[in-house]
Amino acid sequence: MKKILTLFAVVGLIAFSSCEGPEGPPGEPGPLAEVYEVSNVNFTDNNDYNPIIPLNPAIFDSDMVVLYRLAGVDNGRDVWKMTPELYYFADGTFNFGYNFNFTKSDVSIYLDGKDLGSVQTSFRLNQIFRIVIIPGYLTGTGKSVNKPDFSDYEAVIKKYNIDDTKIKTIKL
């Protein structure tokens, strides 16, 4: 009798584990990579050369943030430089640089150097930045030969299918 019950149990487990129902409807798409542009960013003594850019809505802990500064225009195309971005004197000593850190609710962009008040105003005032937010599930954790060159803004927006014409703006 025990053998028959064991046999029914095994057959039942196999039968139930191989059952499959119809596929359900597709779920909502997950968050996609997005870009925010913030202009009129000023690095002054009043803000400790460290303007804080609010992120609304807040991002997830797993998200990746990449920051680019508009460094100029070449043949009608914007030139975006990834931060950190460093500048040196002619003798090779460090002059100043742009850097950043972020939390779930803001991006802190800061000017780094010894005498920040002496940095040319063209580098301190009315700067334009693009904040690229890439959801963690898109970046993956393993090694990949398909990782974009993050220093190349164009490669990043192509890799993450970002529509460069739909940039969101942040007003300071």
Side-chain angles (χ1 to χ4, degrees), residues 12-51:
L13 283 173
I14 292 171
F16 284 119
S17 67
S18 63
C19 288
E20 191 175 305
E23 188 174 316
E28 291 291 315
L32 302 174
E34 54 191 343
V35 178
Y36 291 90
E37 185 170 292
V38 59
S39 53
N40 298 318
V41 177
N42 296 311
F43 298 89
T44 65
D45 191 41
N46 291 341
N47 63 13
D48 242 359
Y49 301 95
N50 183 19

mmCIF file of all heavy atoms in Angstrom, residues 12-51:
data_model
loop_
_atom_site.group_PDB
_atom_site.id
_atom_site.type_symbol
_atom_site.label_atom_id
_atom_site.label_comp_id
_atom_site.label_asym_id
_atom_site.label_seq_id
_atom_site.Cartn_x
_atom_site.Cartn_y
_atom_site.Cartn_z
ATOM 1 N N GLY A 12 1.784 12.496 -9.241
ATOM 2 C CA GLY A 12 1.094 13.766 -9.021
ATOM 3 C C GLY A 12 2.054 14.950 -9.080
ATOM 4 O O GLY A 12 1.745 15.983 -9.679
ATOM 5 N N LEU A 13 3.220 14.808 -8.470
ATOM 6 C CA LEU A 13 4.204 15.892 -8.505
ATOM 7 C C LEU A 13 4.666 16.177 -9.930
ATOM 8 O O LEU A 13 4.799 17.328 -10.333
ATOM 9 C CB LEU A 13 5.411 15.542 -7.632
ATOM 10 C CG LEU A 13 5.221 15.703 -6.131
ATOM 11 C CD1 LEU A 13 6.426 15.166 -5.384
ATOM 12 C CD2 LEU A 13 4.994 17.155 -5.785
ATOM 13 N N ILE A 14 4.898 15.133 -10.679
ATOM 14 C CA ILE A 14 5.339 15.309 -12.063
ATOM 15 C C ILE A 14 4.236 15.975 -12.878
ATOM 16 O O ILE A 14 4.491 16.893 -13.655
ATOM 17 C CB ILE A 14 5.759 13.956 -12.682
ATOM 18 C CG1 ILE A 14 7.037 13.449 -12.008
ATOM 19 C CG2 ILE A 14 5.958 14.078 -14.190
ATOM 20 C CD1 ILE A 14 7.420 12.029 -12.383
ATOM 21 N N ALA A 15 3.010 15.543 -12.703
ATOM 22 C CA ALA A 15 1.890 16.094 -13.464
ATOM 23 C C ALA A 15 1.689 17.574 -13.146
ATOM 24 O O ALA A 15 1.506 18.400 -14.044
ATOM 25 C CB ALA A 15 0.610 15.306 -13.178
ATOM 26 N N PHE A 16 1.718 17.941 -11.858
ATOM 27 C CA PHE A 16 1.487 19.330 -11.487
ATOM 28 C C PHE A 16 2.648 20.237 -11.860
ATOM 29 O O PHE A 16 2.458 21.401 -12.201
ATOM 30 C CB PHE A 16 1.184 19.457 -9.990
ATOM 31 C CG PHE A 16 -0.202 19.025 -9.635
ATOM 32 C CD1 PHE A 16 -0.411 17.973 -8.769
ATOM 33 C CD2 PHE A 16 -1.305 19.662 -10.186
ATOM 34 C CE1 PHE A 16 -1.685 17.569 -8.441
ATOM 35 C CE2 PHE A 16 -2.584 19.266 -9.867
ATOM 36 C CZ PHE A 16 -2.791 18.211 -8.995
ATOM 37 N N SER A 17 3.854 19.708 -11.812
ATOM 38 C CA SER A 17 5.006 20.558 -12.140
ATOM 39 C C SER A 17 5.126 20.797 -13.632
ATOM 40 O O SER A 17 5.760 21.751 -14.063
ATOM 41 C CB SER A 17 6.298 19.960 -11.594
ATOM 42 O OG SER A 17 6.589 18.755 -12.259
ATOM 43 N N SER A 18 4.515 19.985 -14.445
ATOM 44 C CA SER A 18 4.622 20.179 -15.888
ATOM 45 C C SER A 18 3.415 20.923 -16.452
ATOM 46 O O SER A 18 3.364 21.182 -17.638
ATOM 47 C CB SER A 18 4.776 18.831 -16.595
ATOM 48 O OG SER A 18 3.628 18.028 -16.382
ATOM 49 N N CYS A 19 2.456 21.286 -15.609
ATOM 50 C CA CYS A 19 1.298 22.031 -16.097
ATOM 51 C C CYS A 19 1.704 23.466 -16.401
ATOM 52 O O CYS A 19 2.502 24.069 -15.697
ATOM 53 C CB CYS A 19 0.186 22.045 -15.051
ATOM 54 S SG CYS A 19 -0.608 20.444 -14.869
ATOM 55 N N GLU A 20 1.151 23.991 -17.448
ATOM 56 C CA GLU A 20 1.451 25.366 -17.828
ATOM 57 C C GLU A 20 0.183 25.980 -18.360
ATOM 58 O O GLU A 20 -0.515 25.401 -19.177
ATOM 59 C CB GLU A 20 2.544 25.362 -18.899
ATOM 60 C CG GLU A 20 3.100 26.718 -19.165
ATOM 61 C CD GLU A 20 4.262 26.651 -20.133
ATOM 62 O OE1 GLU A 20 5.217 25.922 -19.874
ATOM 63 O OE2 GLU A 20 4.165 27.340 -21.165
ATOM 64 N N GLY A 21 -0.116 27.169 -17.887
ATOM 65 C CA GLY A 21 -1.306 27.864 -18.341
ATOM 66 C C GLY A 21 -0.965 28.841 -19.443
ATOM 67 O O GLY A 21 0.182 28.951 -19.873
ATOM 68 N N PRO A 22 -1.979 29.580 -19.896
ATOM 69 C CA PRO A 22 -1.719 30.560 -20.951
ATOM 70 C C PRO A 22 -0.849 31.704 -20.412
ATOM 71 O O PRO A 22 -0.886 32.034 -19.232
ATOM 72 C CB PRO A 22 -3.118 31.059 -21.323
ATOM 73 C CG PRO A 22 -3.947 30.784 -20.118
ATOM 74 C CD PRO A 22 -3.363 29.561 -19.473
ATOM 75 N N GLU A 23 -0.069 32.293 -21.300
ATOM 76 C CA GLU A 23 0.797 33.399 -20.912
ATOM 77 C C GLU A 23 -0.065 34.616 -20.587
ATOM 78 O O GLU A 23 -1.017 34.931 -21.302
ATOM 79 C CB GLU A 23 1.753 33.726 -22.055
ATOM 80 C CG GLU A 23 2.803 34.731 -21.681
ATOM 81 C CD GLU A 23 3.831 34.921 -22.790
ATOM 82 O OE1 GLU A 23 4.262 33.903 -23.359
ATOM 83 O OE2 GLU A 23 4.155 36.069 -23.060
ATOM 84 N N GLY A 24 0.284 35.287 -19.522
ATOM 85 C CA GLY A 24 -0.461 36.475 -19.116
ATOM 86 C C GLY A 24 -0.111 37.678 -19.974
ATOM 87 O O GLY A 24 0.792 37.627 -20.814
ATOM 88 N N PRO A 25 -0.842 38.776 -19.768
ATOM 89 C CA PRO A 25 -0.555 39.977 -20.561
ATOM 90 C C PRO A 25 0.812 40.547 -20.186
ATOM 91 O O PRO A 25 1.283 40.348 -19.070
ATOM 92 C CB PRO A 25 -1.678 40.933 -20.154
ATOM 93 C CG PRO A 25 -2.111 40.471 -18.812
ATOM 94 C CD PRO A 25 -1.893 38.979 -18.795
ATOM 95 N N PRO A 26 1.447 41.258 -21.113
ATOM 96 C CA PRO A 26 2.763 41.839 -20.796
ATOM 97 C C PRO A 26 2.628 42.893 -19.701
ATOM 98 O O PRO A 26 1.617 43.594 -19.620
ATOM 99 C CB PRO A 26 3.216 42.460 -22.119
ATOM 100 C CG PRO A 26 1.985 42.623 -22.931
ATOM 101 C CD PRO A 26 1.015 41.577 -22.459
ATOM 102 N N GLY A 27 3.639 42.991 -18.877
ATOM 103 C CA GLY A 27 3.635 43.976 -17.804
ATOM 104 C C GLY A 27 4.000 45.355 -18.308
ATOM 105 O O GLY A 27 4.335 45.554 -19.474
ATOM 106 N N GLU A 28 3.918 46.310 -17.405
ATOM 107 C CA GLU A 28 4.311 47.674 -17.735
ATOM 108 C C GLU A 28 5.813 47.702 -18.012
ATOM 109 O O GLU A 28 6.581 47.013 -17.353
ATOM 110 C CB GLU A 28 4.012 48.597 -16.556
ATOM 111 C CG GLU A 28 2.530 48.801 -16.298
ATOM 112 C CD GLU A 28 1.874 49.614 -17.391
ATOM 113 O OE1 GLU A 28 2.439 50.639 -17.809
ATOM 114 O OE2 GLU A 28 0.788 49.202 -17.838
ATOM 115 N N PRO A 29 6.241 48.519 -18.984
ATOM 116 C CA PRO A 29 7.687 48.595 -19.220
ATOM 117 C C PRO A 29 8.386 49.223 -18.020
ATOM 118 O O PRO A 29 7.821 50.088 -17.346
ATOM 119 C CB PRO A 29 7.791 49.487 -20.459
ATOM 120 C CG PRO A 29 6.515 50.249 -20.516
ATOM 121 C CD PRO A 29 5.481 49.379 -19.856
ATOM 122 N N GLY A 30 9.588 48.771 -17.754
ATOM 123 C CA GLY A 30 10.359 49.334 -16.652
ATOM 124 C C GLY A 30 10.844 50.728 -17.015
ATOM 125 O O GLY A 30 10.710 51.175 -18.154
ATOM 126 N N PRO A 31 11.407 51.424 -16.044
ATOM 127 C CA PRO A 31 11.898 52.764 -16.338
ATOM 128 C C PRO A 31 13.046 52.706 -17.340
ATOM 129 O O PRO A 31 13.854 51.791 -17.311
ATOM 130 C CB PRO A 31 12.373 53.281 -14.977
ATOM 131 C CG PRO A 31 12.545 52.064 -14.135
ATOM 132 C CD PRO A 31 11.638 51.013 -14.675
ATOM 133 N N LEU A 32 13.060 53.672 -18.243
ATOM 134 C CA LEU A 32 14.095 53.721 -19.261
ATOM 135 C C LEU A 32 15.124 54.770 -18.878
ATOM 136 O O LEU A 32 14.885 55.620 -18.036
ATOM 137 C CB LEU A 32 13.471 54.061 -20.614
ATOM 138 C CG LEU A 32 12.385 53.118 -21.103
ATOM 139 C CD1 LEU A 32 11.755 53.637 -22.373
ATOM 140 C CD2 LEU A 32 12.946 51.729 -21.313
ATOM 141 N N ALA A 33 16.260 54.723 -19.529
ATOM 142 C CA ALA A 33 17.280 55.748 -19.313
ATOM 143 C C ALA A 33 16.711 57.085 -19.760
ATOM 144 O O ALA A 33 15.919 57.162 -20.703
ATOM 145 C CB ALA A 33 18.531 55.396 -20.102
ATOM 146 N N GLU A 34 17.102 58.136 -19.063
ATOM 147 C CA GLU A 34 16.600 59.460 -19.418
ATOM 148 C C GLU A 34 17.685 60.499 -19.198
ATOM 149 O O GLU A 34 18.660 60.264 -18.498
ATOM 150 C CB GLU A 34 15.346 59.802 -18.609
ATOM 151 C CG GLU A 34 15.499 59.694 -17.115
ATOM 152 C CD GLU A 34 14.173 59.787 -16.381
ATOM 153 O OE1 GLU A 34 13.172 60.247 -16.947
ATOM 154 O OE2 GLU A 34 14.147 59.399 -15.219
ATOM 155 N N VAL A 35 17.472 61.655 -19.829
ATOM 156 C CA VAL A 35 18.451 62.736 -19.749
ATOM 157 C C VAL A 35 17.749 64.007 -19.305
ATOM 158 O O VAL A 35 16.674 64.345 -19.799
ATOM 159 C CB VAL A 35 19.134 62.977 -21.114
ATOM 160 C CG1 VAL A 35 20.107 64.138 -21.034
ATOM 161 C CG2 VAL A 35 19.832 61.731 -21.595
ATOM 162 N N TYR A 36 18.387 64.697 -18.373
ATOM 163 C CA TYR A 36 17.926 66.004 -17.922
ATOM 164 C C TYR A 36 18.981 67.027 -18.292
ATOM 165 O O TYR A 36 20.180 66.753 -18.178
ATOM 166 C CB TYR A 36 17.730 66.028 -16.401
ATOM 167 C CG TYR A 36 16.582 65.180 -15.927
ATOM 168 C CD1 TYR A 36 16.782 63.847 -15.599
ATOM 169 C CD2 TYR A 36 15.296 65.701 -15.814
ATOM 170 C CE1 TYR A 36 15.733 63.057 -15.157
ATOM 171 C CE2 TYR A 36 14.246 64.922 -15.379
ATOM 172 C CZ TYR A 36 14.475 63.595 -15.053
ATOM 173 O OH TYR A 36 13.434 62.818 -14.620
ATOM 174 N N GLU A 37 18.550 68.195 -18.721
ATOM 175 C CA GLU A 37 19.482 69.280 -18.994
ATOM 176 C C GLU A 37 19.211 70.407 -18.013
ATOM 177 O O GLU A 37 18.061 70.766 -17.761
ATOM 178 C CB GLU A 37 19.332 69.785 -20.421
ATOM 179 C CG GLU A 37 20.357 70.842 -20.786
ATOM 180 C CD GLU A 37 20.361 71.172 -22.262
ATOM 181 O OE1 GLU A 37 20.756 70.298 -23.068
ATOM 182 O OE2 GLU A 37 19.969 72.309 -22.607
ATOM 183 N N VAL A 38 20.277 70.931 -17.464
ATOM 184 C CA VAL A 38 20.172 72.064 -16.541
ATOM 185 C C VAL A 38 21.126 73.139 -17.037
ATOM 186 O O VAL A 38 22.293 72.870 -17.323
ATOM 187 C CB VAL A 38 20.449 71.640 -15.075
ATOM 188 C CG1 VAL A 38 21.808 71.035 -14.909
ATOM 189 C CG2 VAL A 38 20.247 72.788 -14.131
ATOM 190 N N SER A 39 20.585 74.354 -17.219
ATOM 191 C CA SER A 39 21.419 75.454 -17.709
ATOM 192 C C SER A 39 21.511 76.528 -16.633
ATOM 193 O O SER A 39 20.866 76.439 -15.591
ATOM 194 C CB SER A 39 20.855 76.020 -19.014
ATOM 195 O OG SER A 39 19.503 76.358 -18.855
ATOM 196 N N ASN A 40 22.305 77.537 -16.919
ATOM 197 C CA ASN A 40 22.547 78.633 -15.967
ATOM 198 C C ASN A 40 23.108 78.120 -14.644
ATOM 199 O O ASN A 40 22.739 78.607 -13.574
ATOM 200 C CB ASN A 40 21.280 79.456 -15.727
ATOM 201 C CG ASN A 40 20.787 80.110 -16.997
ATOM 202 O OD1 ASN A 40 21.584 80.629 -17.772
ATOM 203 N ND2 ASN A 40 19.497 80.051 -17.226
ATOM 204 N N VAL A 41 23.981 77.145 -14.716
ATOM 205 C CA VAL A 41 24.636 76.627 -13.515
ATOM 206 C C VAL A 41 25.835 77.526 -13.234
ATOM 207 O O VAL A 41 26.709 77.698 -14.092
ATOM 208 C CB VAL A 41 25.077 75.161 -13.694
ATOM 209 C CG1 VAL A 41 25.819 74.663 -12.466
ATOM 210 C CG2 VAL A 41 23.868 74.285 -14.003
ATOM 211 N N ASN A 42 25.852 78.100 -12.040
ATOM 212 C CA ASN A 42 26.919 79.020 -11.655
ATOM 213 C C ASN A 42 27.703 78.477 -10.473
ATOM 214 O O ASN A 42 27.114 77.984 -9.506
ATOM 215 C CB ASN A 42 26.334 80.387 -11.302
ATOM 216 C CG ASN A 42 25.677 81.044 -12.496
ATOM 217 O OD1 ASN A 42 26.260 81.113 -13.566
ATOM 218 N ND2 ASN A 42 24.451 81.515 -12.318
ATOM 219 N N PHE A 43 29.006 78.592 -10.569
ATOM 220 C CA PHE A 43 29.913 78.195 -9.496
ATOM 221 C C PHE A 43 30.458 79.482 -8.882
ATOM 222 O O PHE A 43 31.288 80.166 -9.505
ATOM 223 C CB PHE A 43 31.056 77.334 -10.045
ATOM 224 C CG PHE A 43 30.583 76.053 -10.669
ATOM 225 C CD1 PHE A 43 30.248 75.999 -12.007
ATOM 226 C CD2 PHE A 43 30.473 74.907 -9.899
ATOM 227 C CE1 PHE A 43 29.807 74.813 -12.583
ATOM 228 C CE2 PHE A 43 30.032 73.713 -10.463
ATOM 229 C CZ PHE A 43 29.697 73.671 -11.806
ATOM 230 N N THR A 44 29.960 79.819 -7.709
ATOM 231 C CA THR A 44 30.354 81.071 -7.063
ATOM 232 C C THR A 44 30.692 80.820 -5.602
ATOM 233 O O THR A 44 30.401 79.753 -5.052
ATOM 234 C CB THR A 44 29.209 82.105 -7.129
ATOM 235 O OG1 THR A 44 28.106 81.632 -6.357
ATOM 236 C CG2 THR A 44 28.767 82.366 -8.570
ATOM 237 N N ASP A 45 31.270 81.849 -4.999
ATOM 238 C CA ASP A 45 31.574 81.789 -3.574
ATOM 239 C C ASP A 45 30.271 81.630 -2.768
ATOM 240 O O ASP A 45 30.250 80.967 -1.728
ATOM 241 C CB ASP A 45 32.324 83.062 -3.162
ATOM 242 C CG ASP A 45 32.897 82.973 -1.768
ATOM 243 O OD1 ASP A 45 33.421 81.893 -1.412
ATOM 244 O OD2 ASP A 45 32.818 83.984 -1.035
ATOM 245 N N ASN A 46 29.169 82.211 -3.270
ATOM 246 C CA ASN A 46 27.871 82.139 -2.566
ATOM 247 C C ASN A 46 27.361 80.716 -2.410
ATOM 248 O O ASN A 46 26.682 80.401 -1.433
ATOM 249 C CB ASN A 46 26.813 82.982 -3.285
ATOM 250 C CG ASN A 46 27.096 84.464 -3.183
ATOM 251 O OD1 ASN A 46 27.843 84.906 -2.321
ATOM 252 N ND2 ASN A 46 26.505 85.233 -4.084
ATOM 253 N N ASN A 47 27.630 79.843 -3.393
ATOM 254 C CA ASN A 47 27.161 78.451 -3.284
ATOM 255 C C ASN A 47 28.328 77.503 -3.014
ATOM 256 O O ASN A 47 28.217 76.305 -3.238
ATOM 257 C CB ASN A 47 26.358 78.018 -4.514
ATOM 258 C CG ASN A 47 27.166 78.019 -5.805
ATOM 259 O OD1 ASN A 47 28.387 78.109 -5.805
ATOM 260 N ND2 ASN A 47 26.458 77.919 -6.920
ATOM 261 N N ASP A 48 29.430 78.062 -2.530
ATOM 262 C CA ASP A 48 30.624 77.269 -2.206
ATOM 263 C C ASP A 48 31.162 76.528 -3.433
ATOM 264 O O ASP A 48 31.742 75.449 -3.297
ATOM 265 C CB ASP A 48 30.319 76.265 -1.098
ATOM 266 C CG ASP A 48 31.142 76.487 0.138
ATOM 267 O OD1 ASP A 48 31.970 77.413 0.129
ATOM 268 O OD2 ASP A 48 30.973 75.712 1.086
ATOM 269 N N TYR A 49 30.921 77.093 -4.615
ATOM 270 C CA TYR A 49 31.342 76.485 -5.888
ATOM 271 C C TYR A 49 30.779 75.065 -6.014
ATOM 272 O O TYR A 49 31.410 74.177 -6.573
ATOM 273 C CB TYR A 49 32.872 76.479 -6.014
ATOM 274 C CG TYR A 49 33.450 77.874 -5.933
ATOM 275 C CD1 TYR A 49 33.918 78.386 -4.732
ATOM 276 C CD2 TYR A 49 33.480 78.684 -7.060
ATOM 277 C CE1 TYR A 49 34.417 79.683 -4.654
ATOM 278 C CE2 TYR A 49 33.974 79.983 -6.987
ATOM 279 C CZ TYR A 49 34.443 80.476 -5.781
ATOM 280 O OH TYR A 49 34.921 81.767 -5.706
ATOM 281 N N ASN A 50 29.547 74.901 -5.513
ATOM 282 C CA ASN A 50 28.933 73.578 -5.439
ATOM 283 C C ASN A 50 27.407 73.677 -5.557
ATOM 284 O O ASN A 50 26.689 73.470 -4.583
ATOM 285 C CB ASN A 50 29.326 72.913 -4.110
ATOM 286 C CG ASN A 50 28.792 71.515 -3.966
ATOM 287 O OD1 ASN A 50 28.423 70.891 -4.942
ATOM 288 N ND2 ASN A 50 28.743 71.025 -2.749
ATOM 289 N N PRO A 51 26.895 73.996 -6.771
ATOM 290 C CA PRO A 51 25.438 74.033 -6.917
ATOM 291 C C PRO A 51 24.834 72.633 -6.784
ATOM 292 O O PRO A 51 25.424 71.646 -7.212
ATOM 293 C CB PRO A 51 25.237 74.600 -8.319
ATOM 294 C CG PRO A 51 26.525 74.384 -9.023
ATOM 295 C CD PRO A 51 27.600 74.339 -7.989
#
